[in-house]
Amino acid sequence: MPLVTWIKAGTSATVLVLATAGTASAAPSVEPPSAQAAVVTLRYDDSRAAGWEAAIAAGVASWNANVTNVKLVEAAPGGAAEIVIVATTGWPQATLGPVRPGRQVRVELGSQAVNEGYNKTRIAAHELGHSLGLPDTKPGPCSQLMSGSSAGTACTNAVPNATERSRVQSNYASGVTASVVIDRRTLVDAP
């Protein structure tokens, strides 16, 4: 094949490729779906926590607003729940998680702490933090939700800090299939 024919063929192919590329870029591009961690949904039952409903709702809202791969939702009446919340007369306490779907932990919201001046919403958010796998960080400042009672009665912070959020994100990073060694001890939050 003569050189002129090769150049014409090459030029035509280049024009065709460029024309096709120009047409393709004019169409809306479809991005492949990004790999997101699965969201683990945990149900809670607060039907035996009379008087704590607003504090529990605020604590749940705080966690749901601050972590992305685990979501706390209220269980249907009489339905199964991973987090069972009850009101007691003692000190607040909870089973240390992280709880997994189909498993169960218990949170006790004790009125003794409220009687001594501790904030109900902070207590609820703190105890839910135990269910999500966070231990106490006592003593600690008010900026650490998991510092609990060591932050004093004036502390009303019910928002997990960056370290606490990161740890919960890590606890649920692999969705429900993660194998995490779970320490099932109950943490009592008395000063």
Side-chain angles (χ1 to χ4, degrees), residues 110-146:
S111 62
Q112 189 171 352
V114 176
N115 294 342
E116 292 199 18
Y118 292 97
N119 179 270
K120 280 179 124 175
T121 300
R122 179 173 167 83
I123 293 169
H126 173 92
E127 298 306 327
L128 288 168
H130 288 319
S131 298
L132 300 175
L134 298 178
D136 287 315
T137 55
K138 293 179 179 181
C142 183
S143 61
Q144 291 177 344
L145 176 60
M146 300 314 293

PDB file of all heavy atoms in Angstrom, residues 110-146:
ATOM      1  N   GLY A 110     -30.359   5.217  84.706  1.00  0.00           N
ATOM      2  CA  GLY A 110     -30.621   5.307  86.129  1.00  0.00           C
ATOM      3  C   GLY A 110     -30.951   6.703  86.626  1.00  0.00           C
ATOM      4  O   GLY A 110     -30.242   7.670  86.331  1.00  0.00           O
ATOM      5  N   SER A 111     -32.013   6.777  87.417  1.00  0.00           N
ATOM      6  CA  SER A 111     -32.456   8.069  87.950  1.00  0.00           C
ATOM      7  C   SER A 111     -31.520   8.601  89.039  1.00  0.00           C
ATOM      8  O   SER A 111     -31.546   9.794  89.333  1.00  0.00           O
ATOM      9  CB  SER A 111     -33.882   7.952  88.487  1.00  0.00           C
ATOM     10  OG  SER A 111     -33.937   7.018  89.555  1.00  0.00           O
ATOM     11  N   GLN A 112     -30.679   7.761  89.614  1.00  0.00           N
ATOM     12  CA  GLN A 112     -29.763   8.244  90.651  1.00  0.00           C
ATOM     13  C   GLN A 112     -28.838   9.332  90.102  1.00  0.00           C
ATOM     14  O   GLN A 112     -28.580  10.322  90.770  1.00  0.00           O
ATOM     15  CB  GLN A 112     -28.950   7.087  91.231  1.00  0.00           C
ATOM     16  CG  GLN A 112     -28.140   7.489  92.450  1.00  0.00           C
ATOM     17  CD  GLN A 112     -27.507   6.286  93.136  1.00  0.00           C
ATOM     18  OE1 GLN A 112     -27.783   5.142  92.794  1.00  0.00           O
ATOM     19  NE2 GLN A 112     -26.654   6.564  94.094  1.00  0.00           N
ATOM     20  N   ALA A 113     -28.380   9.166  88.868  1.00  0.00           N
ATOM     21  CA  ALA A 113     -27.515  10.181  88.255  1.00  0.00           C
ATOM     22  C   ALA A 113     -28.280  11.488  88.029  1.00  0.00           C
ATOM     23  O   ALA A 113     -27.743  12.575  88.255  1.00  0.00           O
ATOM     24  CB  ALA A 113     -26.946   9.667  86.934  1.00  0.00           C
ATOM     25  N   VAL A 114     -29.531  11.383  87.610  1.00  0.00           N
ATOM     26  CA  VAL A 114     -30.349  12.574  87.375  1.00  0.00           C
ATOM     27  C   VAL A 114     -30.602  13.279  88.707  1.00  0.00           C
ATOM     28  O   VAL A 114     -30.510  14.511  88.797  1.00  0.00           O
ATOM     29  CB  VAL A 114     -31.676  12.207  86.680  1.00  0.00           C
ATOM     30  CG1 VAL A 114     -32.568  13.431  86.526  1.00  0.00           C
ATOM     31  CG2 VAL A 114     -31.396  11.578  85.318  1.00  0.00           C
ATOM     32  N   ASN A 115     -30.881  12.517  89.743  1.00  0.00           N
ATOM     33  CA  ASN A 115     -31.118  13.089  91.075  1.00  0.00           C
ATOM     34  C   ASN A 115     -29.883  13.841  91.591  1.00  0.00           C
ATOM     35  O   ASN A 115     -30.017  14.776  92.376  1.00  0.00           O
ATOM     36  CB  ASN A 115     -31.513  12.005  92.075  1.00  0.00           C
ATOM     37  CG  ASN A 115     -32.855  11.380  91.751  1.00  0.00           C
ATOM     38  OD1 ASN A 115     -33.650  11.948  91.000  1.00  0.00           O
ATOM     39  ND2 ASN A 115     -33.100  10.196  92.291  1.00  0.00           N
ATOM     40  N   GLU A 116     -28.716  13.435  91.126  1.00  0.00           N
ATOM     41  CA  GLU A 116     -27.480  14.115  91.544  1.00  0.00           C
ATOM     42  C   GLU A 116     -27.102  15.261  90.604  1.00  0.00           C
ATOM     43  O   GLU A 116     -26.064  15.884  90.784  1.00  0.00           O
ATOM     44  CB  GLU A 116     -26.358  13.101  91.679  1.00  0.00           C
ATOM     45  CG  GLU A 116     -26.622  12.157  92.845  1.00  0.00           C
ATOM     46  CD  GLU A 116     -25.408  11.424  93.330  1.00  0.00           C
ATOM     47  OE1 GLU A 116     -24.268  11.858  93.033  1.00  0.00           O
ATOM     48  OE2 GLU A 116     -25.597  10.404  94.008  1.00  0.00           O
ATOM     49  N   GLY A 117     -27.936  15.517  89.578  1.00  0.00           N
ATOM     50  CA  GLY A 117     -27.729  16.684  88.736  1.00  0.00           C
ATOM     51  C   GLY A 117     -27.163  16.437  87.349  1.00  0.00           C
ATOM     52  O   GLY A 117     -26.908  17.385  86.600  1.00  0.00           O
ATOM     53  N   TYR A 118     -26.975  15.185  86.949  1.00  0.00           N
ATOM     54  CA  TYR A 118     -26.438  14.893  85.613  1.00  0.00           C
ATOM     55  C   TYR A 118     -27.521  15.043  84.557  1.00  0.00           C
ATOM     56  O   TYR A 118     -28.699  14.795  84.802  1.00  0.00           O
ATOM     57  CB  TYR A 118     -25.819  13.487  85.574  1.00  0.00           C
ATOM     58  CG  TYR A 118     -24.563  13.392  86.407  1.00  0.00           C
ATOM     59  CD1 TYR A 118     -24.607  12.902  87.701  1.00  0.00           C
ATOM     60  CD2 TYR A 118     -23.346  13.826  85.899  1.00  0.00           C
ATOM     61  CE1 TYR A 118     -23.458  12.832  88.482  1.00  0.00           C
ATOM     62  CE2 TYR A 118     -22.184  13.756  86.677  1.00  0.00           C
ATOM     63  CZ  TYR A 118     -22.258  13.264  87.963  1.00  0.00           C
ATOM     64  OH  TYR A 118     -21.119  13.198  88.720  1.00  0.00           O
ATOM     65  N   ASN A 119     -27.125  15.446  83.347  1.00  0.00           N
ATOM     66  CA  ASN A 119     -28.022  15.735  82.233  1.00  0.00           C
ATOM     67  C   ASN A 119     -28.552  14.445  81.586  1.00  0.00           C
ATOM     68  O   ASN A 119     -27.766  13.575  81.198  1.00  0.00           O
ATOM     69  CB  ASN A 119     -27.263  16.588  81.208  1.00  0.00           C
ATOM     70  CG  ASN A 119     -28.094  16.913  80.004  1.00  0.00           C
ATOM     71  OD1 ASN A 119     -28.087  16.162  79.039  1.00  0.00           O
ATOM     72  ND2 ASN A 119     -28.799  18.030  80.051  1.00  0.00           N
ATOM     73  N   LYS A 120     -29.872  14.346  81.448  1.00  0.00           N
ATOM     74  CA  LYS A 120     -30.500  13.137  80.910  1.00  0.00           C
ATOM     75  C   LYS A 120     -30.073  12.826  79.472  1.00  0.00           C
ATOM     76  O   LYS A 120     -29.829  11.678  79.129  1.00  0.00           O
ATOM     77  CB  LYS A 120     -32.027  13.261  80.962  1.00  0.00           C
ATOM     78  CG  LYS A 120     -32.639  12.994  82.299  1.00  0.00           C
ATOM     79  CD  LYS A 120     -34.158  13.165  82.227  1.00  0.00           C
ATOM     80  CE  LYS A 120     -34.823  11.910  82.702  1.00  0.00           C
ATOM     81  NZ  LYS A 120     -36.294  12.051  82.770  1.00  0.00           N
ATOM     82  N   THR A 121     -30.005  13.847  78.633  1.00  0.00           N
ATOM     83  CA  THR A 121     -29.639  13.608  77.232  1.00  0.00           C
ATOM     84  C   THR A 121     -28.197  13.122  77.136  1.00  0.00           C
ATOM     85  O   THR A 121     -27.894  12.200  76.379  1.00  0.00           O
ATOM     86  CB  THR A 121     -29.851  14.872  76.385  1.00  0.00           C
ATOM     87  OG1 THR A 121     -31.233  15.239  76.455  1.00  0.00           O
ATOM     88  CG2 THR A 121     -29.456  14.650  74.936  1.00  0.00           C
ATOM     89  N   ARG A 122     -27.301  13.724  77.918  1.00  0.00           N
ATOM     90  CA  ARG A 122     -25.902  13.268  77.920  1.00  0.00           C
ATOM     91  C   ARG A 122     -25.829  11.821  78.399  1.00  0.00           C
ATOM     92  O   ARG A 122     -25.090  11.013  77.842  1.00  0.00           O
ATOM     93  CB  ARG A 122     -25.041  14.175  78.788  1.00  0.00           C
ATOM     94  CG  ARG A 122     -23.567  13.721  78.844  1.00  0.00           C
ATOM     95  CD  ARG A 122     -22.703  14.743  79.574  1.00  0.00           C
ATOM     96  NE  ARG A 122     -21.386  14.226  79.903  1.00  0.00           N
ATOM     97  CZ  ARG A 122     -20.341  14.203  79.077  1.00  0.00           C
ATOM     98  NH1 ARG A 122     -20.482  14.651  77.830  1.00  0.00           N
ATOM     99  NH2 ARG A 122     -19.187  13.727  79.468  1.00  0.00           N
ATOM    100  N   ILE A 123     -26.601  11.491  79.424  1.00  0.00           N
ATOM    101  CA  ILE A 123     -26.604  10.113  79.932  1.00  0.00           C
ATOM    102  C   ILE A 123     -27.051   9.153  78.835  1.00  0.00           C
ATOM    103  O   ILE A 123     -26.399   8.137  78.579  1.00  0.00           O
ATOM    104  CB  ILE A 123     -27.526   9.984  81.166  1.00  0.00           C
ATOM    105  CG1 ILE A 123     -26.957  10.766  82.354  1.00  0.00           C
ATOM    106  CG2 ILE A 123     -27.730   8.516  81.539  1.00  0.00           C
ATOM    107  CD1 ILE A 123     -27.930  10.923  83.524  1.00  0.00           C
ATOM    108  N   ALA A 124     -28.164   9.465  78.166  1.00  0.00           N
ATOM    109  CA  ALA A 124     -28.689   8.584  77.122  1.00  0.00           C
ATOM    110  C   ALA A 124     -27.685   8.415  75.981  1.00  0.00           C
ATOM    111  O   ALA A 124     -27.416   7.292  75.540  1.00  0.00           O
ATOM    112  CB  ALA A 124     -30.017   9.117  76.599  1.00  0.00           C
ATOM    113  N   ALA A 125     -27.117   9.513  75.507  1.00  0.00           N
ATOM    114  CA  ALA A 125     -26.136   9.429  74.406  1.00  0.00           C
ATOM    115  C   ALA A 125     -24.895   8.654  74.839  1.00  0.00           C
ATOM    116  O   ALA A 125     -24.351   7.847  74.074  1.00  0.00           O
ATOM    117  CB  ALA A 125     -25.759  10.830  73.939  1.00  0.00           C
ATOM    118  N   HIS A 126     -24.448   8.872  76.062  1.00  0.00           N
ATOM    119  CA  HIS A 126     -23.269   8.177  76.598  1.00  0.00           C
ATOM    120  C   HIS A 126     -23.519   6.668  76.655  1.00  0.00           C
ATOM    121  O   HIS A 126     -22.685   5.873  76.210  1.00  0.00           O
ATOM    122  CB  HIS A 126     -22.952   8.726  78.000  1.00  0.00           C
ATOM    123  CG  HIS A 126     -21.875   7.987  78.705  1.00  0.00           C
ATOM    124  ND1 HIS A 126     -20.547   8.348  78.629  1.00  0.00           N
ATOM    125  CD2 HIS A 126     -21.921   6.901  79.525  1.00  0.00           C
ATOM    126  CE1 HIS A 126     -19.821   7.519  79.358  1.00  0.00           C
ATOM    127  NE2 HIS A 126     -20.638   6.621  79.925  1.00  0.00           N
ATOM    128  N   GLU A 127     -24.664   6.266  77.206  1.00  0.00           N
ATOM    129  CA  GLU A 127     -24.972   4.833  77.331  1.00  0.00           C
ATOM    130  C   GLU A 127     -25.146   4.189  75.957  1.00  0.00           C
ATOM    131  O   GLU A 127     -24.734   3.050  75.743  1.00  0.00           O
ATOM    132  CB  GLU A 127     -26.201   4.625  78.209  1.00  0.00           C
ATOM    133  CG  GLU A 127     -26.051   5.109  79.641  1.00  0.00           C
ATOM    134  CD  GLU A 127     -24.850   4.562  80.388  1.00  0.00           C
ATOM    135  OE1 GLU A 127     -24.430   3.403  80.143  1.00  0.00           O
ATOM    136  OE2 GLU A 127     -24.301   5.297  81.236  1.00  0.00           O
ATOM    137  N   LEU A 128     -25.732   4.901  75.002  1.00  0.00           N
ATOM    138  CA  LEU A 128     -25.816   4.385  73.635  1.00  0.00           C
ATOM    139  C   LEU A 128     -24.421   4.208  73.049  1.00  0.00           C
ATOM    140  O   LEU A 128     -24.163   3.267  72.295  1.00  0.00           O
ATOM    141  CB  LEU A 128     -26.660   5.314  72.760  1.00  0.00           C
ATOM    142  CG  LEU A 128     -28.160   5.290  73.049  1.00  0.00           C
ATOM    143  CD1 LEU A 128     -28.863   6.439  72.335  1.00  0.00           C
ATOM    144  CD2 LEU A 128     -28.771   3.943  72.658  1.00  0.00           C
ATOM    145  N   GLY A 129     -23.500   5.098  73.411  1.00  0.00           N
ATOM    146  CA  GLY A 129     -22.107   4.958  72.971  1.00  0.00           C
ATOM    147  C   GLY A 129     -21.497   3.646  73.424  1.00  0.00           C
ATOM    148  O   GLY A 129     -20.745   3.009  72.688  1.00  0.00           O
ATOM    149  N   HIS A 130     -21.838   3.199  74.647  1.00  0.00           N
ATOM    150  CA  HIS A 130     -21.365   1.884  75.105  1.00  0.00           C
ATOM    151  C   HIS A 130     -21.901   0.786  74.190  1.00  0.00           C
ATOM    152  O   HIS A 130     -21.167  -0.130  73.817  1.00  0.00           O
ATOM    153  CB  HIS A 130     -21.805   1.610  76.542  1.00  0.00           C
ATOM    154  CG  HIS A 130     -21.093   2.415  77.577  1.00  0.00           C
ATOM    155  ND1 HIS A 130     -19.738   2.674  77.542  1.00  0.00           N
ATOM    156  CD2 HIS A 130     -21.558   3.017  78.709  1.00  0.00           C
ATOM    157  CE1 HIS A 130     -19.394   3.390  78.598  1.00  0.00           C
ATOM    158  NE2 HIS A 130     -20.483   3.628  79.320  1.00  0.00           N
ATOM    159  N   SER A 131     -23.180   0.876  73.816  1.00  0.00           N
ATOM    160  CA  SER A 131     -23.787  -0.124  72.936  1.00  0.00           C
ATOM    161  C   SER A 131     -23.076  -0.195  71.591  1.00  0.00           C
ATOM    162  O   SER A 131     -23.014  -1.241  70.962  1.00  0.00           O
ATOM    163  CB  SER A 131     -25.266   0.192  72.705  1.00  0.00           C
ATOM    164  OG  SER A 131     -25.970   0.154  73.919  1.00  0.00           O
ATOM    165  N   LEU A 132     -22.542   0.945  71.153  1.00  0.00           N
ATOM    166  CA  LEU A 132     -21.831   1.027  69.868  1.00  0.00           C
ATOM    167  C   LEU A 132     -20.362   0.647  69.994  1.00  0.00           C
ATOM    168  O   LEU A 132     -19.622   0.710  69.016  1.00  0.00           O
ATOM    169  CB  LEU A 132     -21.989   2.430  69.285  1.00  0.00           C
ATOM    170  CG  LEU A 132     -23.438   2.857  69.014  1.00  0.00           C
ATOM    171  CD1 LEU A 132     -23.495   4.310  68.563  1.00  0.00           C
ATOM    172  CD2 LEU A 132     -24.095   1.935  67.994  1.00  0.00           C
ATOM    173  N   GLY A 133     -19.939   0.268  71.207  1.00  0.00           N
ATOM    174  CA  GLY A 133     -18.587  -0.248  71.390  1.00  0.00           C
ATOM    175  C   GLY A 133     -17.601   0.676  72.060  1.00  0.00           C
ATOM    176  O   GLY A 133     -16.403   0.397  72.059  1.00  0.00           O
ATOM    177  N   LEU A 134     -18.059   1.778  72.632  1.00  0.00           N
ATOM    178  CA  LEU A 134     -17.136   2.721  73.257  1.00  0.00           C
ATOM    179  C   LEU A 134     -17.066   2.519  74.764  1.00  0.00           C
ATOM    180  O   LEU A 134     -18.088   2.557  75.450  1.00  0.00           O
ATOM    181  CB  LEU A 134     -17.570   4.161  72.971  1.00  0.00           C
ATOM    182  CG  LEU A 134     -17.599   4.578  71.507  1.00  0.00           C
ATOM    183  CD1 LEU A 134     -18.096   6.011  71.383  1.00  0.00           C
ATOM    184  CD2 LEU A 134     -16.239   4.411  70.867  1.00  0.00           C
ATOM    185  N   PRO A 135     -15.872   2.338  75.300  1.00  0.00           N
ATOM    186  CA  PRO A 135     -15.717   2.242  76.750  1.00  0.00           C
ATOM    187  C   PRO A 135     -15.687   3.640  77.363  1.00  0.00           C
ATOM    188  O   PRO A 135     -15.644   4.645  76.649  1.00  0.00           O
ATOM    189  CB  PRO A 135     -14.358   1.559  76.902  1.00  0.00           C
ATOM    190  CG  PRO A 135     -13.596   2.013  75.704  1.00  0.00           C
ATOM    191  CD  PRO A 135     -14.621   2.126  74.592  1.00  0.00           C
ATOM    192  N   ASP A 136     -15.689   3.695  78.684  1.00  0.00           N
ATOM    193  CA  ASP A 136     -15.551   4.984  79.367  1.00  0.00           C
ATOM    194  C   ASP A 136     -14.141   5.536  79.152  1.00  0.00           C
ATOM    195  O   ASP A 136     -13.183   4.775  78.999  1.00  0.00           O
ATOM    196  CB  ASP A 136     -15.782   4.809  80.874  1.00  0.00           C
ATOM    197  CG  ASP A 136     -17.245   4.571  81.195  1.00  0.00           C
ATOM    198  OD1 ASP A 136     -18.091   5.279  80.635  1.00  0.00           O
ATOM    199  OD2 ASP A 136     -17.530   3.681  82.015  1.00  0.00           O
ATOM    200  N   THR A 137     -14.030   6.849  79.169  1.00  0.00           N
ATOM    201  CA  THR A 137     -12.728   7.534  79.105  1.00  0.00           C
ATOM    202  C   THR A 137     -12.618   8.442  80.322  1.00  0.00           C
ATOM    203  O   THR A 137     -12.552   9.656  80.194  1.00  0.00           O
ATOM    204  CB  THR A 137     -12.574   8.341  77.803  1.00  0.00           C
ATOM    205  OG1 THR A 137     -13.672   9.248  77.686  1.00  0.00           O
ATOM    206  CG2 THR A 137     -12.514   7.440  76.591  1.00  0.00           C
ATOM    207  N   LYS A 138     -12.650   7.824  81.499  1.00  0.00           N
ATOM    208  CA  LYS A 138     -12.619   8.570  82.757  1.00  0.00           C
ATOM    209  C   LYS A 138     -11.206   8.584  83.314  1.00  0.00           C
ATOM    210  O   LYS A 138     -10.535   7.555  83.263  1.00  0.00           O
ATOM    211  CB  LYS A 138     -13.548   7.920  83.776  1.00  0.00           C
ATOM    212  CG  LYS A 138     -15.008   8.010  83.403  1.00  0.00           C
ATOM    213  CD  LYS A 138     -15.844   7.318  84.458  1.00  0.00           C
ATOM    214  CE  LYS A 138     -17.318   7.400  84.134  1.00  0.00           C
ATOM    215  NZ  LYS A 138     -18.134   6.751  85.144  1.00  0.00           N
ATOM    216  N   PRO A 139     -10.782   9.672  83.877  1.00  0.00           N
ATOM    217  CA  PRO A 139     -11.443  10.973  83.838  1.00  0.00           C
ATOM    218  C   PRO A 139     -11.271  11.590  82.453  1.00  0.00           C
ATOM    219  O   PRO A 139     -10.352  11.247  81.716  1.00  0.00           O
ATOM    220  CB  PRO A 139     -10.712  11.784  84.905  1.00  0.00           C
ATOM    221  CG  PRO A 139      -9.329  11.212  84.917  1.00  0.00           C
ATOM    222  CD  PRO A 139      -9.492   9.736  84.589  1.00  0.00           C
ATOM    223  N   GLY A 140     -12.156  12.506  82.157  1.00  0.00           N
ATOM    224  CA  GLY A 140     -12.091  13.153  80.857  1.00  0.00           C
ATOM    225  C   GLY A 140     -12.865  14.452  80.863  1.00  0.00           C
ATOM    226  O   GLY A 140     -13.686  14.706  81.742  1.00  0.00           O
ATOM    227  N   PRO A 141     -12.617  15.280  79.859  1.00  0.00           N
ATOM    228  CA  PRO A 141     -13.295  16.579  79.766  1.00  0.00           C
ATOM    229  C   PRO A 141     -14.717  16.436  79.227  1.00  0.00           C
ATOM    230  O   PRO A 141     -15.088  15.401  78.667  1.00  0.00           O
ATOM    231  CB  PRO A 141     -12.416  17.346  78.782  1.00  0.00           C
ATOM    232  CG  PRO A 141     -11.870  16.287  77.885  1.00  0.00           C
ATOM    233  CD  PRO A 141     -11.648  15.088  78.780  1.00  0.00           C
ATOM    234  N   CYS A 142     -15.476  17.474  79.354  1.00  0.00           N
ATOM    235  CA  CYS A 142     -16.858  17.519  78.877  1.00  0.00           C
ATOM    236  C   CYS A 142     -16.925  17.288  77.360  1.00  0.00           C
ATOM    237  O   CYS A 142     -17.910  16.747  76.861  1.00  0.00           O
ATOM    238  CB  CYS A 142     -17.472  18.870  79.249  1.00  0.00           C
ATOM    239  SG  CYS A 142     -19.205  19.043  78.787  1.00  0.00           S
ATOM    240  N   SER A 143     -15.895  17.644  76.631  1.00  0.00           N
ATOM    241  CA  SER A 143     -15.889  17.472  75.175  1.00  0.00           C
ATOM    242  C   SER A 143     -15.872  16.000  74.764  1.00  0.00           C
ATOM    243  O   SER A 143     -16.161  15.673  73.624  1.00  0.00           O
ATOM    244  CB  SER A 143     -14.701  18.201  74.555  1.00  0.00           C
ATOM    245  OG  SER A 143     -13.490  17.670  75.061  1.00  0.00           O
ATOM    246  N   GLN A 144     -15.544  15.111  75.682  1.00  0.00           N
ATOM    247  CA  GLN A 144     -15.579  13.673  75.411  1.00  0.00           C
ATOM    248  C   GLN A 144     -16.886  13.123  75.963  1.00  0.00           C
ATOM    249  O   GLN A 144     -17.090  13.089  77.178  1.00  0.00           O
ATOM    250  CB  GLN A 144     -14.416  12.953  76.085  1.00  0.00           C
ATOM    251  CG  GLN A 144     -13.073  13.263  75.516  1.00  0.00           C
ATOM    252  CD  GLN A 144     -11.961  12.564  76.306  1.00  0.00           C
ATOM    253  OE1 GLN A 144     -12.148  12.097  77.419  1.00  0.00           O
ATOM    254  NE2 GLN A 144     -10.785  12.516  75.703  1.00  0.00           N
ATOM    255  N   LEU A 145     -17.771  12.713  75.094  1.00  0.00           N
ATOM    256  CA  LEU A 145     -19.044  12.143  75.527  1.00  0.00           C
ATOM    257  C   LEU A 145     -18.813  10.964  76.461  1.00  0.00           C
ATOM    258  O   LEU A 145     -19.522  10.788  77.452  1.00  0.00           O
ATOM    259  CB  LEU A 145     -19.863  11.718  74.306  1.00  0.00           C
ATOM    260  CG  LEU A 145     -21.189  10.999  74.581  1.00  0.00           C
ATOM    261  CD1 LEU A 145     -22.122  11.887  75.404  1.00  0.00           C
ATOM    262  CD2 LEU A 145     -21.833  10.587  73.278  1.00  0.00           C
ATOM    263  N   MET A 146     -17.807  10.165  76.173  1.00  0.00           N
ATOM    264  CA  MET A 146     -17.586   8.955  76.948  1.00  0.00           C
ATOM    265  C   MET A 146     -16.846   9.203  78.262  1.00  0.00           C
ATOM    266  O   MET A 146     -16.560   8.267  78.994  1.00  0.00           O
ATOM    267  CB  MET A 146     -16.876   7.906  76.093  1.00  0.00           C
ATOM    268  CG  MET A 146     -17.671   7.503  74.847  1.00  0.00           C
ATOM    269  SD  MET A 146     -19.455   7.166  75.120  1.00  0.00           S
ATOM    270  CE  MET A 146     -19.367   5.697  76.115  1.00  0.00           C
TER     271      MET A 146
END
